Amino acid sequence: MTKTHPDLETFFKGSDLTPEKTAALVKEGLEGSDYGELYQERVIWESLAKDQGQYVNISTGNSAAGFGFRIGKGERVGYAYADTFNEAALKEAIAEARLVLDGNEPAAKPQASGSVKQQLYPVSSMLNDMTLAEKIAAMDEIETYVRQLDEKIKNVSLSFQSREQTVHVNAGDQSLVDNRPMTSLRIDVMVEDENGKNEVGYASIGGPMGCKDVFNKAAWQKAAHKAHDMAKTLLVAEDAPSGVMDVVLASGWPAVILHEAVGHGLEGDFNRKGISVYSGKMGTQVANPAVTIVDQGDMPGERGSLHFDDEGIPTQENVLVENGILKAYMHDRQSALLTGEKPTGNGRRESYRDLPMPRMTNTYFRPGNDTPEDIIKSVKDGIYIAEMAGGNVDITSGRFTMQATLAYKIRDGKICEPLKGATLVGEGHEVIKTITKVGNDLKLEKSSGTCGKDGQGVPVGIGQPTILATGMTVGGPK
Amino acid sequence: MTDSRKDFEDQARPLARQLMTYAMNKGENYGITDVRIDITASTEQNSSIENGAVNKNVKGKSWGVSITLYAGDRVMSFHQNTLDRNALCAAIDQNMQVIHLVPENPDKRLLESEKVYKGPPEELDLYDAAAPSSETLIDYAKKIEQAALDVPGIMRTDDTGVSFDDSHRLTMATNGLDRVGSSTTFGAMISVVAQSGNRMETSYDYGSARHFSDMPDPAKIGRTASEKALSKLGATQPQTREATIVLSPEAARSFFASVIEAISGTAVYRNSTFLKDKLGQQVTGNSITIEDDPHIKRGFASRTVDGAGMKADKITFIKDGVLQAFNLNLTAARKLGMDPSGREGGLTNIRILPGNQSPETLMADIKDGFYIKSFQGGGADVNNGSFSRPASGVEIKDGKLTNNAVAGFVVAGNLKDMFMNAVVANDTPALPNTKSSMAAPTTRIDGLKIAGL
């Protein structure tokens, strides 16, 4: 996190460059720019997967490293990347990137920067806190445990991945280094009934943590039961109905609807072009007064947390919508510059091969006063969305789609039979006006969640309390 | 731009040999029986245009080395993006030292040596050695943007981009596999925003080709994107009802992807497809024949051998609605005791053969239905058959397409019935084309649920 970060030297091992020489080249290379930086990255990862009692993948010792140099002037951006880092390669990248300038640029202005306040996740290496033998033994133990839960279990799939991204950002002023761990274990359980019909339930554990946290017995036992219960419920679930109905969304992961239906539309790049359905609406009532939406990259231990973003800006709490009023967009350096705002710590990229863009970090609805039970009780005829897969959005029209994996019918305020195959559609800016009840049970999901934009995937946290949206379109096969 | 094929092979082949020799010699102490090396290299260039000027330029190059070690039936693999022989050998050492911990899995063995194709490559013409300059590419993008903005009613472009990729792969393994291949890919796309009152709608169009000379007229890409965005303005949400749908060739590709998924050998042995017991039986409407041809010149998915080194030849998976073969990768073939399909890594250029009727005839008797231009995500489960996918398109009235745009609704049904009820028209696009490695005709499906208002 500081100039003296021990991992800084790993970027210069075997290179003819020193941190000092690099900083001088970057400073010179950014002359005449409004923004830009050197971004260096090294990712190491390993994965293990077991299916039908056999290891289908064991991969350790993987690594990918490289750098990219970016220069920006207003809307114009030049970028060049390579996987070998040395003086010749950096100079070539700087020259390539600078081709986008026209030669009439004035002297560079100092870029916005800031300091990181607190440690949000472990920054020392955690990939090897267990040996391969221990990981294999843990996977075997989990499989054995799950299989003995129920004789109707016909398959158990386990997929483990641990990844560590080390980044170095130098925007001409300071060298920032961070180490970002991300580990996950997914458990899929297939249950078959007497007629040979089967369904699969799943659950995940993970986040910015080490292998030991994921192979924690209490955690995986809980996940195993959740996956098993989901499969059993799906086996007796009926096809979801179609039509317009009241929808209660469970706390936690179903907040993917917030991410898609609202979050993307509040990203600064869309709004500087005026092509988001929220463009030009700053300061106006865009949602029901019950709704407050926050994107916050500086939450300890959450999936989308970063000490600083991929442009070197420290993350922070950004209140996007407060009591229904649109308060802020999320910016990277470029969209901040072009709209006269400050960067918000939302400039993110998938890897050194990619340009940063305004992206979400941890996005959530602030809790309200209703208990989840009262929210469900208030619905006469509707559905309760317990598990959501994913979705997508067209930010210009606001139209979004969400796929629910497990839902329940609500009748006279009571949760009734389980339903499968429900898809939700709507326009995000209309739906947030119909969110009339927000529960007091905020929950953030950190075990899974990858946001895709322009082909780049980044890990994000999402969260919400139980919420009620009145009158959504639900499509089911019934 | 220059032909980088020779440079690649001059660097990659000696490295692959050294790594293989190193792993086999040193591996004797660790019980190493086989090794596979994959080396890739690519350069990428892409640019965006805004108001006739370049506003984004990206250039990059990458290498990748993947190494798989086999100690009998114990298998480990890793990937690094370095050509540093010492670093790669150190990683080989680390993997060899722990490979005895890996449980055995006989299904992961290399392809049997006698099944490895060692003959000459097919003439596939995937590499454009006379690639144009970046100025030519940028000029192409400018023409797309201009044509899009010339259409009245377009508020602005979101992005107009052009890209060029040059990639190479060399694969070498101790079972005799030894292949090198190169390809180029050109791509161009535009997304635009149309506005009317306080409504905005976005759409896009694109074109892609192995050779730059095969790229479509740039003005057509720009105009098509603008026309698509304009046609969405004023879209309404239909009433919930039962209806017949007709899929555009684009939407049909997405529907037939479910058929392909349902005949995957992996889904068969994992007991997660409702077609698992249907070999030799009717599984779709009888107008449907699906073939996969890896030898199409300049095709996006063309190849001589599959990922395992087996010769890839043309396969008819479904003929007149009857399931002829599953798509079996090596693992699936071994689990099921059948022969692999020669499609390790996936199917290639998929073609749904044309039916007998024109699209007009196909929809002539539809009083009230929907022409689906595209699906937007959603779910199609080939295990339980549950299908519910959001869609957009236009209404069909009295057998004809109307201008009434519809959006924000869900098409729902059961895939088993949908496969059987599907009827195809005679307008399958040729392959290769500038859209996809898959070509499907206009397709009609009766008896679906439309969830809207």
Side-chain angles (χ1 to χ4, degrees):
Chain A
M1 287 189 293
T2 66
K3 272 183 190 175
T4 54
H5 194 289
D7 286 329
L8 180 61
E9 66 190 49
T10 64
F11 288 108
F12 295 90
K13 224 169 79 184
S15 168
D16 55 356
L17 281 167
T18 61
E20 295 73 27
K21 173 85 182 163
T22 302
L25 285 172
V26 169
K27 205 165 182 139
E28 194 187 316
L30 288 173
E31 258 173 38
S33 68
D34 288 330
Y35 52 93
E37 70 282 307
L38 166 72
Y39 177 85
Q40 278 184 279
E41 184 192 29
R42 180 163 187 267
V43 181
I44 53 173
W45 74 95
E46 63 177 42
S47 56
L48 284 85
K50 197 173 185 187
D51 183 49
Q52 300 214 328
Q54 279 180 324
Y55 282 88
V56 291
N57 170 42
I58 292 186
S59 181
T60 74
N62 301 286
S63 75
F67 77 97
F69 181 82
R70 177 178 72 139
I71 190 158
K73 182 80 193 169
E75 287 166 3
R76 276 174 292 152
V77 190
Y79 193 66
Y81 66 81
D83 36 21
T84 306
F85 183 67
N86 56 37
E87 185 169 348
L90 178 57
K91 282 183 166 164
E92 188 189 335
I94 290 173
E96 284 284 356
R98 287 186 68 85
L99 289 176
V100 82
L101 302 180
D102 56 20
N104 296 318
E105 283 76 15
K109 288 173 246 161
Q111 296 193 60
S113 61
S115 54
V116 176
K117 288 167 223 82
Q118 59 166 330
Q119 187 180 316
L120 307 172
Y121 41 83
V123 291
S124 59
S125 179
M126 300 187 74
L127 200 61
N128 295 315
D129 65 353
M130 286 172 72
T131 63
L132 180 63
E134 287 169 338
K135 286 168 196 161
I136 290 173
M139 298 263 288
D140 291 345
E141 186 187 355
I142 297 171
E143 193 199 357
T144 308
Y145 178 85
V146 179
R147 284 196 183 268
Q148 57 80 36
L149 287 178
D150 182 351
E151 60 182 18
K152 290 178 179 155
I153 292 177
K154 295 296 169 195
N155 190 22
V156 179
S157 286
L158 302 173
S159 173
F160 167 81
Q161 194 183 44
S162 187
R163 176 181 198 271
E164 205 166 275
Q165 179 195 41
T166 309
V167 301
H168 168 218
V169 184
N170 186 316
D173 44 9
Q174 54 179 337
S175 257
L176 291 163
V177 177
D178 195 13
N179 200 51
R180 304 164 174 174
M182 192 60 71
T183 303
S184 69
L185 171 71
R186 181 176 156 126
I187 305 177
D188 283 71
V189 177
M190 180 191 266
V191 174
E192 192 175 283
D193 70 10
E194 17 333 295
N195 306 319
K197 194 176 122 190
N198 66 59
E199 288 285 353
V200 176
Y202 57 84
S204 297
I205 320 165
M209 52 180 70
C211 307
K212 274 187 176 156
D213 301 309
V214 161
F215 285 119
N216 169 293
K217 194 164 183 167
W220 62 249
Q221 284 190 347
K222 198 173 150 200
H225 285 279
K226 190 180 170 200
H228 176 223
D229 288 344
M230 183 177 170
K232 280 193 300 185
T233 308
L234 283 170
L235 213 44
V236 295
E238 298 173 12
D239 281 339
S242 286
V244 176
M245 54 196 85
D246 289 349
V247 175
V248 176
L249 293 143
S251 65
W253 176 251
V256 66
I257 196 165
L258 162 68
H259 175 98
E260 297 294 348
V262 188
H264 279 295
L266 300 177
E267 290 167 342
D269 49 350
F270 299 129
N271 284 291
R272 75 148 175 103
K273 294 180 181 170
I275 58 170
S276 161
V277 71
Y278 298 102
S279 299
K281 302 233 167 107
M282 194 59 78
T284 67
Q285 188 88 36
V286 297
N288 187 286
V291 172
T292 293
I293 299 169
V294 179
D295 183 87
Q296 187 177 356
D298 65 354
M299 302 177 89
E302 296 300 338
R303 186 173 177 82
S305 297
L306 300 170
H307 292 117
F308 52 84
D309 71 7
D310 296 328
E311 300 179 309
I313 304 283
T315 52
Q316 60 185 36
E317 177 186 65
N318 295 301
V319 178
L320 307 174
V321 174
E322 191 167 31
N323 303 323
I325 312 274
L326 180 57
K327 292 285 187 181
Y329 299 129
M330 291 166 275
H331 290 294
D332 63 0
R333 286 187 193 268
Q334 187 197 43
S335 73
L337 176 86
L338 295 173
T339 55
E341 301 286 329
K342 285 201 174 77
T344 57
N346 290 92
R348 305 185 63 186
R349 55 180 125 201
E350 180 177 307
S351 81
Y352 68 92
R353 293 176 188 171
D354 303 299
L355 279 165
M357 288 182 280
R359 306 293 298 264
M360 284 174 264
T361 58
N362 303 300
T363 318
Y364 59 92
F365 280 115
R366 274 214 186 126
N369 299 318
D370 295 308
T371 65
E373 296 74 24
D374 284 344
I375 293 176
I376 293 161
K377 255 186 225 161
S378 74
V379 176
K380 204 168 157 26
D381 182 31
I383 68 167
Y384 176 80
I385 306 291
E387 297 288 342
M388 200 81 114
N392 59 61
V393 65
D394 164 352
I395 52 99
T396 300
S397 65
R399 255 179 241 116
F400 70 87
T401 81
M402 300 298 321
Q403 193 195 339
T405 31
L406 178 61
Y408 294 85
K409 179 80 194 164
I410 303 176
R411 221 175 269 117
D412 296 324
K414 286 197 184 69
I415 291 202
C416 302
E417 69 276 15
L419 303 168
K420 63 185 175 192
T423 294
L424 307 179
V425 295
E427 293 179 347
H429 56 291
E430 296 299 335
V431 167
I432 53 169
K433 290 176 191 156
T434 69
I435 294 175
T436 52
K437 285 184 196 292
V438 178
N440 59 6
D441 55 337
L442 172 64
K443 199 172 113 195
L444 267 92
E445 178 60 57
K446 61 177 150 197
S447 66
S448 52
T450 300
C451 168
K453 178 174 169 182
D454 282 359
Q456 292 190 43
V458 296
V460 292
I462 53 171
Q464 67 177 24
T466 303
I467 59 169
L468 167 67
T470 52
M472 276 183 82
T473 296
V474 178
K478 191 176 175 179
Chain B
M1 279 156 236
T2 52
D3 186 341
S4 54
R5 284 177 292 187
K6 187 167 181 305
D7 284 354
F8 170 74
E9 203 170 343
D10 286 350
Q11 263 185 293
R13 187 169 288 282
L15 178 65
R17 274 199 204 292
Q18 285 170 3
L19 293 170
M20 211 159 92
T21 308
Y22 179 84
M24 288 308 290
N25 288 347
K26 185 125 185 223
E28 256 180 64
N29 305 322
Y30 300 99
I32 299 296
T33 49
D34 281 296
V35 182
R36 172 178 167 138
I37 316 278
D38 285 87
I39 302 180
T40 58
S42 63
T43 58
E44 168 205 7
Q45 180 188 324
N46 71 69
S47 300
S48 288
I49 302 298
E50 194 167 331
N51 299 319
V54 174
N55 78 343
K56 191 179 85 182
N57 244 336
V58 177
K59 214 166 182 175
K61 39 190 169 190
S62 341
W63 283 88
V65 179
S66 295
I67 300 179
T68 310
L69 300 169
Y70 302 82
D73 292 338
R74 303 179 201 276
V75 185
M76 281 187 94
S77 63
F78 67 93
H79 175 92
Q80 296 203 349
N81 70 337
T82 178
L83 295 183
D84 180 346
R85 188 178 167 275
N86 292 331
L88 291 164
C89 287
I92 290 175
D93 285 347
Q94 278 172 21
N95 273 274
M96 287 195 302
Q97 281 156 20
V98 291
I99 199 165
H100 67 277
L101 298 170
V102 173
E104 295 184 346
N105 183 350
D107 300 329
K108 297 280 287 176
R109 283 189 317 256
L110 279 171
L111 180 68
E112 293 74 15
S113 183
E114 64 276 13
K115 288 188 184 153
V116 174
Y117 177 69
K118 298 182 182 84
E122 297 287 331
E123 288 290 329
L124 301 173
D125 198 17
L126 306 179
Y127 193 84
D128 187 350
S133 67
S134 43
E135 288 73 25
T136 306
L137 291 171
I138 286 164
D139 190 51
Y140 183 91
K142 286 179 183 170
K143 286 179 181 152
I144 297 177
E145 187 192 44
Q146 194 53 54
L149 292 172
D150 282 347
V151 177
I154 296 304
M155 173 200 156
R156 64 167 292 150
T157 60
D158 175 15
D159 192 16
T160 309
V162 63
S163 67
F164 169 63
D165 278 283
D166 178 326
S167 34
H168 311 279
R169 172 183 287 274
L170 181 136
T171 306
M172 211 182 263
T174 43
N175 62 351
L177 176 57
D178 185 351
R179 290 268 154 200
V180 61
S182 299
S183 62
T184 46
T185 310
F186 297 87
M189 66 76 65
I190 183 168
S191 55
V192 301
V193 177
Q195 192 173 28
S196 168
N198 60 358
R199 280 304 294 194
M200 291 189 291
E201 290 286 354
T202 183
S203 194
Y204 66 95
D205 196 39
Y206 66 96
S208 188
R210 291 293 190 194
H211 287 244
F212 187 67
S213 57
D214 292 340
M215 286 291 279
D217 172 14
K220 183 163 181 282
I221 296 179
R223 269 198 312 272
T224 305
S226 291
E227 282 159 10
K228 279 163 72 179
L230 286 165
S231 75
K232 285 163 79 178
L233 283 170
T236 57
Q237 207 183 3
Q239 292 289 328
T240 298
R241 59 185 188 264
E242 295 232 342
T244 294
I245 61 167
V246 176
L247 305 174
S248 70
E250 178 190 334
R253 287 205 300 267
S254 176
F255 167 70
F256 282 107
S258 289
V259 180
I260 300 301
E261 193 189 338
I263 61 167
S264 131
T266 306
V268 173
Y269 82 74
R270 298 187 79 243
N271 200 7
S272 54
T273 165
F274 58 77
L275 295 187
K276 62 178 181 284
D277 301 319
K278 302 286 181 192
L279 205 56
Q281 296 179 41
Q282 191 85 29
V283 294
T284 68
N286 58 16
S287 70
I288 291 163
T289 293
I290 302 179
E291 61 178 38
D292 185 62
D293 184 356
H295 300 159
I296 289 173
K297 278 197 175 51
R298 302 191 177 189
F300 292 124
S302 296
R303 57 201 317 175
T304 299
V305 300
D306 73 353
M310 191 170 157
K311 183 90 192 327
D313 289 312
K314 190 167 168 176
I315 300 175
T316 300
F317 284 102
I318 291 179
K319 188 168 171 47
D320 302 328
V322 176
L323 181 58
Q324 310 291 311
F326 292 119
N327 168 28
L328 300 161
N329 64 19
L330 216 43
T331 297
R334 286 169 176 166
K335 294 243 187 233
L336 297 167
M338 296 166 93
D339 287 328
S341 307
R343 292 294 188 278
E344 195 75 21
L347 294 189
T348 64
N349 306 293
I350 303 166
R351 194 164 142 81
I352 318 304
L353 297 194
N356 300 321
Q357 315 170 61
S358 68
E360 294 72 28
T361 314
L362 189 68
M363 64 182 92
D365 67 328
I366 302 174
K367 284 231 148 0
D368 171 41
F370 295 90
Y371 180 78
I372 307 297
K373 288 185 177 174
S374 64
F375 288 113
Q376 288 88 40
D381 188 323
V382 299
N383 183 24
N384 63 26
S386 170
F387 180 96
S388 66
R389 300 191 62 185
S392 58
V394 296
E395 285 183 313
I396 300 172
K397 289 276 177 224
D398 299 322
K400 294 214 161 53
L401 296 182
T402 67
N403 289 322
N404 305 335
V406 282
F409 61 98
V410 179
V411 177
N414 190 295
L415 276 175
K416 283 183 215 175
D417 303 331
M418 292 173 75
F419 286 1
M420 294 304 277
N421 293 340
V423 183
V424 295
N426 62 3
D427 58 343
T428 307
L431 284 172
N433 62 54
T434 59
K435 294 290 187 201
S436 171
S437 62
M438 181 173 181
T442 302
T443 301
R444 169 177 171 161
I445 310 174
D446 285 27
L448 287 156
K449 186 96 182 180
I450 302 296
L453 277 174

